[in-house]
Amino acid sequence: GQEYLFVDARREAMRESLLSRLRTGGGPFVIIAHSQGSMIAYDVLSGLDPDEYDIPLFVTVGSPLGLTEVQDRLKTFTKQKRLTVPAVVKRWINIADPLDPVCADKKLASDYRARGEVAVEDVVAWNADSPRHPHSATGYLRLSAVRKPVLDAMNRNLLQPIAPFTIARDLV
């Protein structure tokens, strides 16, 4: 987190990692961001044009976005006086485990102003790997609070099983 927050060259490299994926096109994009990744994603999404990018769902898990120090830096990066839901985001769900030390502030809705009808939806839920590993990304991803909204936001036709088939031996 220190490099992202205080080393401009590293911050730009981290931002570019997400931006390069989004620039390929083919959206809409569902973005699931864990820990430091949620800072990078918020920063990037805050600068995107909603006419060019379609982000129907932004999910943050185990996020430090509630920390005052992080918010102060994000205000500087995004040139906002008050942090707001990014214009490209149509739904934002934030999930925090009660024991996760990284997301000391479990709720973000009071810190990130709604944009129109889109407000942060805070969910406090036990990480599947808690209490031993309350910050585990894989534990968060196993929660129905993450999986259901992601599946709802995706084109379910892309997830349909393909019928079994036989490859022809002679393609001529």
Side-chain angles (χ1 to χ4, degrees):
Q2 296 291 342
E3 285 189 353
Y4 171 76
L5 294 173
F6 300 107
V7 181
D8 290 343
R10 292 294 301 139
R11 176 177 159 263
E12 283 310 311
M14 292 176 207
R15 284 175 41 83
E16 185 56 34
S17 176
L18 176 55
L19 279 166
S20 66
R21 287 167 175 82
L22 295 173
R23 280 192 209 109
T24 62
F29 296 97
V30 170
I31 297 183
I32 304 169
H34 174 252
S35 199
Q36 176 179 302
S38 66
M39 297 186 300
I40 298 163
Y42 179 82
D43 183 6
V44 167
L45 295 174
S46 293
L48 296 181
D49 181 346
D51 291 331
E52 293 182 38
Y53 296 92
D54 183 11
I55 312 292
L57 180 62
F58 178 36
V59 179
T60 51
V61 295
S63 174
L65 289 174
L67 302 176
T68 302
E69 299 80 5
V70 169
Q71 291 176 8
D72 289 345
R73 295 299 291 160
L74 286 172
K75 286 176 184 174
T76 300
F77 297 156
T78 63
K79 298 175 178 55
Q80 298 181 70
K81 288 186 190 225
R82 177 143 184 239
L83 296 171
T84 304
V85 173
V88 295
V89 172
K90 294 182 177 74
R91 185 177 184 197
W92 180 356
I93 301 172
N94 176 62
I95 301 170
D97 180 287
L99 300 178
D100 190 334
V102 174
C103 49
D105 183 351
K106 309 297 181 209
K107 298 187 176 184
L108 302 180
S110 61
D111 298 319
Y112 293 81
R113 183 177 54 193
R115 182 178 299 277
E117 299 293 316
V118 183
V120 179
E121 301 169 42
D122 287 309
V123 176
V124 176
W126 292 101
N127 184 320
D129 294 335
S130 201
R132 180 168 281 187
H133 302 291
H135 188 61
S136 161
T138 55
Y140 277 117
L141 292 175
R142 291 198 312 269
L143 298 178
S144 64
V146 174
R147 295 165 52 109
K148 184 177 180 335
V150 169
L151 288 172
D152 290 345
M154 294 175 61
N155 179 350
R156 290 195 180 245
N157 292 332
L158 298 176
L159 303 175
Q160 297 302 317
I162 298 172
F165 64 92
T166 304
I167 297 175
R169 285 187 175 189
D170 183 10
L171 295 176
V172 177

